[in-house]
Amino acid sequence: MTPENYMLRAINLAKLGAGSVSPNPMVGAVIVHHGHIIGEGYHQQYGQAHAEVNAINAVLEKYPDAQILLQQSTLYVSLEPCSHYGKTPPCALLIIKYKIHKVVIGCTDVNPTVSGKGIELLKNTGTEVSVGVLEKECMALNKRFFTSINKQRPYIILKWAQTADGFFAPANGVQHWITSAPAKTLVHKWRTQEDCILVGTHTAKIDNPQLNVRLVAGRNPKRAFIDRDLSLPKDFFLLDNSQKTFVFNCKKTTTQGNTKYIAIEDFDYLLPQYILYQLYLNDVQSLIIEGGAKTLQTFIDAGLWDEARVFTSAKNLSTGIKVPHIKGNTVSVDNVGDEKLKIIIPF
């Protein structure tokens, strides 16, 4: 196998941590001895052991002569090993402790507490270090983490469903399902993988959404909604305290159970920017914006989005609320049940 094969394995392992490690990055590690994988691991849960630790422990548990094998091995890891004390000790020091011969890194860590320091520490102790194997793929793996660090805002996913004739919802404000069961199940899967979901006031009042995970197994995301005058009825799901929920309003800043009210003084000036920065401060690394059309368009017009996931049904409405206007590159179109799913990214 080639270094790219081993790194691809590390990437696939890292993906198993999706939805469980934020605000940390997803990381996978593979240990190879003379062409054979003898240990592998990934970061499984925020606050717990990192990928390198789990891979090394896998070798220690399996082989009586593990320490000798590790000294003759190459460690492939999708992201630069950490060099600082956080919730866990530095992975770079563990690699040095076991005298692993060579470390192949997919991409460097952009976090200022790590960036380049892990690589430098390894090199200074005689470890052979190589950086950049499947670098593009490793960076794409942690696009949420990199966006949070570099832009101080969550990675933003826009999501909506539209009819074949370009409508978002009926004009009368009645709840109207456009998508079929497979699309709804996929959306719930997405919710398990992201940190938070945001809706606007109109959607909250019309749909009374739960914004949780009911159709697949997985953890519920945080919820956020915009309610300028705190007009949402108190018995609605979004105020049931069942999940961590952010309420963006212009009247109060307080916390009541799992519900955090965040006051924004001027709703007419830089509203998307204020919302995103507050979510960033609350360790929200990724955000799905599920509507309504006005809320989606506000973020589009502000240039604050990283991808859009648009379901198009064969149904027609003839009249109603028009879909958001968005321009970008279409990267894929797939069938999901009776709908087409288009993924768009900014130019």
Side-chain angles (χ1 to χ4, degrees), residues 45 49 60 71 75 78 88 99 101 134 151 181 219 222 232-233 235 257 264 284 299 332-333:
Q45 189 71 42
L60 294 173
Q71 292 177 28
L75 169 67
S78 57
T88 60
K99 301 179 181 178
H101 169 65
L134 294 188
K151 298 184 178 181
R219 66 102 173 96
K222 298 171 184 176
L232 190 73
D235 61 347
I264 296 176
V284 172
F299 281 83
S332 65
V333 179

Side-chain angles (χ1 to χ4, degrees), residues 105-126:
I105 299 167
C107 64
T108 56
D109 192 335
V110 297
N111 187 337
T113 61
V114 180
S115 186
K117 297 181 179 69
I119 295 170
E120 183 180 6
L121 184 58
L122 291 170
K123 286 183 175 180
N124 287 344
T125 55

Side-chain angles (χ1 to χ4, degrees), residues 16-289:
L16 297 176
S20 300
V21 302
S22 178
N24 280 354
M26 294 178 285
V27 184
V30 174
I31 299 175
V32 179
H33 180 266
H34 296 332
H36 298 284
I37 294 175
I38 60 172
E40 55 185 28
Y42 66 98
H43 186 26
Q44 300 179 20
Q45 189 71 42
Y46 175 69
Q48 296 182 10
H50 289 184
E52 300 94 320
V53 177
N54 288 328
I56 291 172
N57 284 341
V59 177
L60 294 173
E61 292 168 6
K62 186 175 181 180
Y63 298 97
D65 56 344
Q67 295 202 27
I68 295 174
L69 293 176
L70 287 170
Q71 292 177 28
Q72 302 168 349
S73 295
T74 298
L75 169 67
Y76 292 84
V77 60
S78 57
L79 185 69
E80 176 183 1
C82 62
S83 56
H84 66 293
Y85 284 88
K87 290 187 177 295
T88 60
C91 293
L93 291 183
L94 188 68
I95 295 168
I96 293 167
K97 174 184 175 181
Y98 285 103
K99 301 179 181 178
I100 294 176
H101 169 65
K102 182 178 180 179
V103 177
V104 179
I105 299 167
C107 64
T108 56
D109 192 335
V110 297
N111 187 337
T113 61
V114 180
S115 186
K117 297 181 179 69
I119 295 170
E120 183 180 6
L121 184 58
L122 291 170
K123 286 183 175 180
N124 287 344
T125 55
T127 306
E128 183 181 344
V129 179
S130 176
V131 183
V133 174
L134 294 188
E135 183 176 33
K136 182 179 179 181
E137 291 81 355
C138 288
M139 292 184 69
L141 169 70
N142 280 307
K143 56 190 176 185
R144 293 159 180 80
F145 175 72
F146 292 141
T147 297
S148 179
I149 295 294
N150 290 329
K151 298 184 178 181
Q152 295 190 321
R153 66 161 174 81
Y155 183 88
I156 303 164
I157 301 167
L158 310 178
K159 183 241 109 180
W160 73 83
Q162 62 188 40
T163 60
D165 54 352
F167 290 98
F168 185 88
N172 59 9
V174 175
Q175 186 182 53
H176 179 80
W177 288 106
I178 292 176
T179 54
S180 56
K184 293 175 186 176
T185 300
L186 179 58
V187 169
H188 279 238
K189 180 180 179 182
W190 289 343
R191 289 178 178 179
T192 70
Q193 299 170 344
E194 311 302 339
D195 285 350
C196 187
I197 306 174
L198 171 76
V199 297
T201 308
H202 186 71
T203 296
K205 289 181 177 180
I206 294 298
D207 293 347
N208 186 18
Q210 298 180 61
L211 301 186
N212 60 11
V213 176
R214 303 181 300 280
L215 303 180
V216 298
R219 66 102 173 96
N220 287 321
K222 298 171 184 176
R223 307 179 296 194
F225 69 99
I226 303 168
D227 189 7
R228 180 174 186 156
D229 299 314
L230 298 179
S231 58
L232 190 73
K234 300 301 182 184
D235 61 347
F236 270 38
F237 288 122
L238 287 175
L239 294 173
D240 64 9
N241 262 324
S242 64
Q243 296 157 241
K244 183 69 175 287
T245 302
F246 304 100
V247 184
F248 294 100
N249 68 96
C250 66
K251 293 192 173 184
K252 66 180 181 181
T253 295
T254 188
T255 300
Q256 298 174 0
N258 277 331
T259 304
K260 185 171 185 176
Y261 294 86
I262 300 175
I264 296 176
E265 292 184 3
D266 190 348
F267 258 65
D268 299 318
Y269 180 69
L270 299 178
L271 178 62
Q273 289 85 346
Y274 283 127
I275 289 173
L276 294 175
Y277 188 61
Q278 287 298 323
L279 292 175
Y280 164 78
L281 293 177
N282 281 276
D283 284 334
V284 172
Q285 196 180 89
S286 61
L287 176 69
I288 302 177
I289 301 178

